Amino acid sequence: MTSYAEAVFGFRPKMRRVIIMVQDLLMVLVAVALSLVLSRSDLSFDAFSYEGLVTWVGIVLISHLLFRYCGLYTTIWRFASTPDFFNILKSCAILTVVLYTLSLVFRFFQPVAGLNERQFIVFFLVSFTIISAPRLFYRFLRDGASWGILTHKANKVQAKRALFVGRLGEADLIIRFTRTAEPADYSIAGIMATERGAPVGTRIQGVAVVASRPRLIDVLEDYAAGTKSIDLLIFGSGVEHEIEEYSELVRVARHGGIAVAQFSRLSQLGQEGKIVLDEVEMETILRRPTVPSDIARIGAFVGGKRVLVTGGAGSIGRTLVKRSLELGAGAVLVADNSEFGIFQLSQYIDEKDHDRLKVRIVDVADRRQMTRVVTEFKPDIIFHAAALKHVPLLEENWESAIQTNVFGTLVCAEVAAKCGVPQFLLISSDKAVDPTSVLGITKRAAEQLVSALHESHAIAPDGRRSGTKFIAVRFGNVFGSNGSVATIFQAQIEAGGPVTITDRRMTRYFMTVAEAVDLVIMAAADAQSRNGKDDYAIYMLDMGKPVPILEVAETMIRMAGKTPYADIPIRFTGIRPGEKLHETLQGANEEIVTLDIAKIFGLRTDVVAWPTVQAALAALQVAMKNQDKASALAVLAQLPRPETPAPDTLQETGPRTVGQAG
């Protein structure tokens, strides 16, 4: 039987279909003969007489037409399921009724001895059984290990043995696709169920449930100790948000030399089904409570729009570009001065989206270049992510910081207004609150600049805006971005240490880049519809609680299968120029307004009048021309900035909120 199946499915699809049709018709004839034998019927005419042969031919024609009409040959056998077998049942039932009806009509004109209802009941049962049996057998072969024997691939690479951690329903799907993949990359050897009290010892498609909560870690330690050979630990989708043991499971696996991956999606390319696994990133391990993105709302906002992203080759900008394309943007233009960064971006974006992606190598502080770019592209929204962000470096390179972060923002904002761009959004930073560094001072100035334009630009007498809507979105560190502590620590761990930390007391807010980008787009969508007293120049993202940097380092070392301080030393270097022990998101004179959007707040803050900002920028240009750092920073410091309470007080009391808006 296996040799027959192998031979049939080696043919081309059209030839396979013909063979299956012939096979089904032969099965019908066999079913007729068996029904007569099993019911011990003695027909009054010879089966091989002229009348008998005409009867056989008639049954064949009727069966063929009926099976084609019922769609028996539009199903791919390897994916045959309950509805397909029900269709066979229905087809056999209809065929039985049709043949019985024709027999009644025939017997009305010419009686036939030995023909009664009993034969037709047996015919129905036999025909369904022998027609569905080959399909069921082939499905069994494709779903099980037998297919590996069937294909006779002696050079086949041994599949990795894996444990699956997740829900039982998802385990069923994973097992099916790992078995049908060609070549078989993974073989599920056991299931660790995330449901509490799942029946350990039971089996799904022959694979045993080896553990359930709360004994997941204990069982995995047994595997990692070498008592059982396992190559890979596969987490189901969303497991990192469902179980508290997630980080510890990753640590135990990596410490025992077991690779870790996470189920992402199914790939159904060609005739082979495969599961797609993603690498487990540190931003997933150091998880924080997340809220699912409102895909419908941000998709409706971005869909069909022309989006310009300055600094699009950077971490946040790159993700903004990719996300805009995924959400159906009509076109996306990247403006960045890094040739290599733009090249890397082209590798990061899916090839199918390249026709909607445009790139320009420009300096955002160059008014002539930016005017040409915006005039030609005609964007509906500008996401201004271009900025210099390395705190210690900018203390020495203050001129570049001011040129890019302040005057670059000014140029892009004024060009947006001049060219009639409907919306301009500045990516801001928590370092703009009570700034102590060049980076913080320049980002605060950029916020003030955008806020002033928000208040003054194109306000009609009725209070509604007729021109560009200016807003800024303030948030903390993005985990895994270029130059972030995560990437630095990862490189240090891979080099064998030491991992360097400025101060053991230091904390930072962290958010995954994917979540930050979706919330930024959501803020832009919200701002589009606001006017009057509920119109906010600055939005703030809910970053959760600050995370100790020392905890991040220790966790990353453990996730690499090492022991902090023993395998990988941790060295404290002291706070660098411009750094603070604790960042804050809210100034003393700022009020946070709760909106109808999860994880996003509106900020009511002091706003400097646009003429005052212009005067400060003119004085700043003079200081820049004279290369006078003290004067330049003094000019920026004159822009109002509220004093911030002690970080400990702020963390204890939480953000001050007013009312419900929106």
Side-chain angles (χ1 to χ4, degrees):
M1 184 65 181
T2 55
S3 299
Y4 170 71
E6 182 180 10
V8 169
F9 287 91
F11 290 114
R12 293 179 180 274
K14 288 185 178 180
M15 180 61 70
R16 285 204 303 264
R17 192 174 295 113
V18 170
I19 293 175
I20 294 169
M21 288 178 182
V22 172
Q23 172 185 287
D24 285 348
L25 295 177
L26 290 175
M27 293 297 182
V28 169
L29 296 178
V30 170
V32 171
L34 283 175
S35 65
L36 294 174
V37 172
L38 293 174
S39 60
R40 298 179 180 179
S41 297
D42 188 14
L43 295 178
S44 59
F45 65 89
D46 185 359
F48 296 100
S49 65
Y50 175 77
E51 293 82 359
L53 292 175
V54 170
T55 301
W56 292 117
V57 172
I59 292 173
V60 166
L61 290 175
I62 293 170
S63 302
H64 178 68
L65 294 174
L66 182 60
F67 288 168
R68 288 181 68 94
Y69 175 77
C70 291
L72 253 61
Y73 306 116
T74 59
T75 300
I76 300 176
W77 278 24
R78 97 174 247 218
F79 298 113
S81 58
T82 302
D84 300 302
F85 288 103
F86 178 77
N87 192 30
I88 297 174
L89 182 70
K90 179 185 69 175
S91 302
C92 292
I94 294 174
L95 177 61
T96 303
V97 171
V98 169
L99 293 180
Y100 177 66
T101 302
L102 291 175
S103 73
L104 290 177
V105 173
F106 183 79
R107 282 186 288 173
F108 179 78
F109 295 102
Q110 182 176 343
V112 178
L115 194 62
N116 53 53
E117 289 76 10
R118 184 172 55 188
Q119 285 91 2
F120 290 97
I121 294 174
V122 175
F123 169 77
F124 166 68
L125 297 174
V126 172
S127 61
F128 170 70
T129 301
I130 63 178
I131 289 175
S132 59
R135 292 164 168 82
L136 183 63
F137 181 68
Y138 178 66
R139 174 64 187 269
F140 163 74
L141 290 176
R142 292 298 297 191
D143 274 355
S146 304
W147 188 252
I149 300 172
L150 173 63
T151 51
H152 300 302
K153 292 187 178 179
N155 59 345
K156 195 171 186 177
V157 178
Q158 183 67 32
K160 294 180 180 178
R161 286 170 52 82
L163 283 178
F164 175 76
V165 183
R167 297 177 296 277
L168 295 179
E170 194 172 43
D172 176 64
L173 182 70
I174 297 293
I175 293 168
R176 181 179 305 124
F177 271 80
T178 52
R179 285 177 171 173
T180 57
E182 285 294 338
D185 299 319
Y186 316 103
S187 172
I188 305 299
I191 302 167
M192 300 176 68
T194 54
E195 295 98 332
R196 289 188 179 274
V200 176
T202 56
R203 293 178 177 271
I204 295 178
Q205 297 188 46
V207 179
V209 178
V210 298
S212 64
R213 297 177 68 190
R215 294 201 64 250
L216 297 178
I217 296 174
D218 294 339
V219 173
L220 183 60
E221 285 177 339
D222 185 28
Y223 279 92
T227 57
K228 301 171 184 176
S229 176
I230 291 297
D231 305 302
L232 180 67
L233 186 69
I234 300 176
F235 287 102
S237 59
V239 169
E240 70 274 17
H241 304 301
E242 295 176 3
I243 60 174
E244 299 83 6
E245 304 94 332
Y246 182 82
S247 297
E248 185 64 11
L249 288 171
V250 175
R251 186 195 69 79
V252 170
R254 287 184 172 164
H255 190 73
I258 300 173
V260 181
Q262 186 145 17
F263 169 63
S264 172
R265 63 187 188 280
L266 295 174
S267 171
Q268 190 61 52
L269 301 175
Q271 296 184 3
E272 302 300 335
K274 282 194 174 185
I275 63 171
V276 178
L277 301 179
D278 288 341
E279 194 174 331
V280 173
E281 302 288 351
M282 281 305 304
E283 66 178 33
T284 304
I285 296 168
L286 290 176
R287 63 193 185 283
R288 50 185 300 280
T290 59
V291 174
S293 301
D294 189 342
I295 302 299
R297 187 169 179 182
I298 62 177
F301 173 73
V302 174
K305 280 189 170 64
R306 299 177 68 80
V307 178
L308 191 156
V309 182
T310 68
S315 306
I316 300 233
R318 180 174 64 235
T319 309
L320 270 168
V321 170
K322 185 176 179 66
R323 191 60 166 150
S324 297
L325 291 168
E326 290 173 347
L327 292 171
V332 177
L333 186 144
V334 174
D336 201 293
N337 65 353
S338 171
E339 178 188 17
F340 181 64
I342 287 178
F343 169 76
Q344 287 183 310
L345 172 68
S346 66
Q347 310 301 307
Y348 177 72
I349 300 300
D350 292 340
E351 189 173 345
K352 63 182 177 60
D353 293 325
H354 279 192
D355 59 334
R356 290 183 291 142
L357 177 67
K358 303 179 185 300
V359 297
R360 295 290 184 273
I361 301 176
V362 298
D363 180 356
V364 293
D366 188 321
R367 189 178 298 271
R368 181 182 60 82
Q369 284 187 321
M370 286 304 302
T371 299
R372 185 177 72 250
V373 167
V374 174
T375 301
E376 293 176 354
F377 184 65
K378 296 181 175 59
D380 297 300
I381 181 171
I382 295 177
F383 289 110
H384 183 54
L388 299 179
K389 296 174 288 186
H390 196 279
V391 173
L393 281 178
L394 296 189
E395 292 301 307
E396 296 182 6
N397 296 276
W398 60 274
E399 291 176 287
S400 297
I402 294 173
Q403 185 67 20
T404 299
N405 296 355
V406 179
F407 288 110
T409 301
L410 174 68
V411 166
C412 292
E414 288 187 332
V415 168
K418 179 181 178 181
C419 297
V421 178
Q423 195 167 9
F424 178 93
L425 185 147
L426 166 70
I427 301 294
S428 189
S429 166
D430 56 358
K431 292 176 176 59
V433 181
D434 190 23
T436 59
S437 62
V438 170
L439 170 60
I441 291 172
T442 56
K443 293 302 284 186
R444 177 65 179 176
E447 271 192 6
Q448 289 285 5
L449 189 157
V450 169
S451 297
L453 286 171
H454 175 90
E455 293 296 327
S456 67
H457 185 72
I459 300 181
D462 62 357
R464 300 188 66 83
R465 295 179 181 274
S466 57
T468 303
K469 168 69 72 73
F470 291 94
I471 66 168
V473 179
R474 182 192 297 171
F475 53 96
N477 293 41
V478 172
F479 205 93
S481 62
N482 295 338
S484 72
V485 292
T487 55
I488 294 172
F489 287 170
Q490 187 65 43
Q492 291 175 338
I493 292 169
E494 290 175 355
V499 170
T500 57
I501 300 175
T502 54
D503 192 289
R504 66 172 61 249
R505 299 167 295 168
M506 183 170 285
T507 64
R508 288 293 182 267
Y509 291 100
F510 284 106
M511 177 177 281
T512 69
V513 65
E515 184 183 11
V517 162
D518 275 8
L519 290 176
V520 164
I521 297 174
M522 180 65 78
D526 180 77
Q528 186 183 43
S529 60
R530 290 188 180 274
N531 287 288
K533 63 183 181 65
D534 289 331
D535 190 13
Y536 305 102
I538 300 178
Y539 286 80
M540 188 188 84
L541 303 188
D542 182 357
M543 300 292 297
K545 295 181 180 180
V547 179
I549 297 297
L550 179 58
E551 181 182 314
V552 175
E554 291 174 343
T555 303
M556 291 188 67
I557 292 171
R558 291 190 184 99
M559 294 307 103
K562 308 291 184 181
T563 302
Y565 308 104
D567 299 326
I568 302 291
I570 297 177
R571 181 161 54 89
F572 300 97
T573 60
I575 295 178
R576 297 173 295 180
E579 284 187 327
K580 292 189 290 186
L581 279 179
H582 312 288
E583 299 288 0
T584 55
L585 287 162
Q586 174 189 12
N589 296 334
E590 294 179 330
E591 289 182 322
I592 295 179
V593 182
T594 302
L595 307 179
D596 59 349
I597 313 170
K599 299 294 183 182
I600 301 179
F601 300 106
L603 268 182
R604 287 182 179 152
T605 184
D606 295 333
V607 178
V608 183
W610 179 241
T612 303
V613 172
Q614 288 179 307
L617 292 174
L620 184 60
Q621 285 180 320
V622 173
M624 291 278 288
K625 185 177 181 180
N626 295 331
Q627 297 183 341
D628 188 344
K629 178 181 180 180
S631 297
L633 297 184
V635 169
L636 294 176
Q638 288 172 4
L639 293 175
R641 58 184 178 91
E643 294 298 324
T644 306
D648 292 342
T649 303
L650 185 63
Q651 291 169 17
E652 290 174 2
T653 60
R656 295 171 304 286
T657 61
V658 299
Q660 176 76 23

